[in-house]
Amino acid sequence: MPPDRGALTLGTLLHNWPADERRDFYFRVADEAPVDTVCLGEAVCAKRASFFDPYLDQVAERLVRGGKEVVFSTLALVAGERDMAFVRAATARPGTIEANDLAAVEVLRGRPHHVGPFVNVYSEDTARLLAGLGATRICLPVELPAAAVAAIAEDSPTEIEVIAFGRVPLAMSARCFHARSRGRRKDTCRFVCAEDKDGLNVDTIEGERFLAIAGCHILSHAYVNLTGEIAALKAMGVNRFRLLPQAIDMIATARLFRDLLDGRLDGAEATARLRPLIPADVGFANGFIHGRPGEEYLAGAAVPRA
C-alpha cells in the first residue's frame, strides 16, 4: 500500500459485547469495512476473554480471507500472575502481536511486534528504544500534542499510528469500576460491563457528562474525532489511523474515514457526515492533538507543529 494513501486500523474492542454479536460484528468487518488492519483479543480484563475465545480463530481466518491484517492485542494492565499467564498465552499465538504493556514488550523482545496506545511512548528516544526491541509499528498514546507526534514520526524507524476516532482510554486501575458501580468486587463482578455496550456514562456533580467506564478502564465520554486533522498528520509522516469500535455503525464510519484518506472528502465534510452516526448526547473531542485539554473540540483549527 502506498504510504501516502494512509491505512486504517480497527482497534481492540474495549467493551464487553456478547460473544456471538462480537463474532458477527467482525464477520461484517471482514466483508464490508475498508480497513487494513484489525486488532483482536482482550486488552481490558482477562476474566472475560473466555467468552470470545471459541470464536477467535474463526474470526481471524474470516478477516484474513477478507484481505485484512490481523493483530492480536495483549492486556493493558497486568495486575497479577493470572494476568501475566494470560499475556504469555496471548504472545505465544502465531501471527503479529500488539503489546499494550511493558511486560508483553519484554516477553516479545527480539520478535517483530507492534506497540499499542497504552504504552507511554512520549518521545523519539522511547520509539527508538522500542524499535530496537523489535517493535515495527507504534500506536501513540492519545494525549500527545501534534508537535510531539511530528517529532516522533519524523525520527522513528517504525510505522506511527494515532487514534483518530472513538472513546479513548484515559486511565486504568486494578479495581473494576463497573463492578463497584453495582456494589460488587472484581472477583464477583458477574460481568456487569456487558450491560453497557458503549461504556457506562459518568456525570459530574453538576450533571455534566464527563467520562465513561468500561470495566477497569476510564474512557472519554466524547468520541475523539480527528477528521479535521488527518491531512496535517499525514503531512507529518503519520500513515496509520486507528478507529476504536463503538456501538454504532462502524462500517459506515470506516467508509467515511477511507473516503477522507483517499481525498474523496475533506475534513469539514467528513465531520458533518460523521455527526449523524454517533449518539446525539455524545460530543466530539480533539483537544489533545491541539495541545489543549483533551475534552475540548476545536472545529477547523489549524494543527500546531510547535
Side-chain angles (χ1 to χ4, degrees):
M1 173 180 303
D4 59 346
R5 181 173 181 254
L8 283 178
T9 296
L10 184 68
T12 313
L13 178 66
L14 302 180
H15 307 290
N16 188 13
W17 295 355
D20 55 348
E21 185 175 322
R22 189 170 177 176
R23 175 203 60 198
D24 293 346
F25 167 74
Y26 284 118
F27 282 177
R28 190 178 174 210
V29 167
D31 296 341
E32 302 177 42
V35 298
D36 304 283
T37 301
V38 178
C39 297
L40 297 176
E42 182 57 59
V44 179
C45 177
K47 282 181 58 181
R48 66 194 197 190
S50 60
F51 294 112
F52 189 65
D53 276 352
Y55 299 115
L56 193 58
D57 289 335
Q58 181 186 12
V59 165
E61 181 183 349
R62 178 75 167 265
L63 287 164
V64 170
R65 289 205 312 267
K68 277 64 173 174
E69 174 193 32
V70 173
V71 176
F72 296 98
S73 298
T74 69
L75 283 177
L77 178 65
V78 178
E81 183 51 41
R82 180 176 64 183
D83 290 344
M84 193 62 224
F86 183 78
V87 168
R88 292 191 188 99
T91 56
R93 293 187 62 89
T96 303
I97 309 296
E98 178 174 87
N100 282 311
D101 166 84
L102 287 180
V105 170
E106 177 59 27
V107 173
L108 292 164
R109 178 192 286 259
R111 171 182 168 187
H113 61 274
H114 298 173
V115 171
F118 301 94
V119 178
N120 294 337
V121 182
Y122 292 150
S123 71
E124 310 92 294
D125 288 342
T126 304
R128 284 195 298 269
L129 172 65
L130 291 171
L133 297 176
T136 60
R137 183 182 303 165
I138 297 173
C139 183
L140 296 176
V142 68
E143 63 267 31
L144 283 181
V149 172
I152 294 171
E154 182 179 0
D155 195 60
S156 175
T158 70
E159 286 189 298
I160 296 297
E161 180 173 280
V162 300
I163 296 175
F165 175 80
R167 278 185 167 165
V168 294
L170 302 174
M172 64 195 78
S173 171
R175 290 192 175 97
C176 177
F177 303 113
H178 242 118
R180 289 172 67 86
S181 74
R182 306 297 201 277
R184 302 172 192 169
R185 299 190 310 172
K186 186 175 183 178
D187 289 341
T188 57
C189 66
R190 287 181 260 169
F191 303 101
V192 295
C193 52
E195 298 174 10
D196 301 289
K197 290 181 59 178
D198 207 25
L200 175 64
N201 292 327
V202 177
D203 298 347
T204 65
I205 294 175
E206 293 79 13
E208 178 188 2
R209 287 284 162 89
F210 179 46
L211 300 168
I213 59 175
C216 59
H217 279 201
I218 298 175
L219 310 174
S220 61
H221 181 268
Y223 289 0
V224 161
N225 168 25
L226 299 187
T227 47
E229 289 74 28
I230 279 182
L233 289 167
K234 287 176 68 176
M236 295 175 190
V238 177
N239 59 358
R240 288 188 168 268
F241 300 90
R242 179 170 297 211
L243 315 178
L244 296 179
Q246 307 297 155
I248 63 170
D249 188 345
M250 289 301 301
I251 306 302
T253 302
R255 288 172 177 164
L256 186 152
F257 275 88
R258 184 70 267 164
D259 285 344
L260 176 60
L261 288 175
D262 289 347
R264 290 187 289 271
L265 294 176
D266 63 22
E269 187 175 6
T271 301
R273 293 191 184 188
L274 186 59
R275 178 65 259 185
L277 295 178
I278 77 170
D281 66 336
V282 177
F284 288 144
N286 63 3
F288 283 135
I289 204 71
H290 291 275
R292 301 283 300 168
E295 65 178 346
E296 292 186 7
Y297 182 63
L298 287 73
V303 179
R305 291 199 56 158

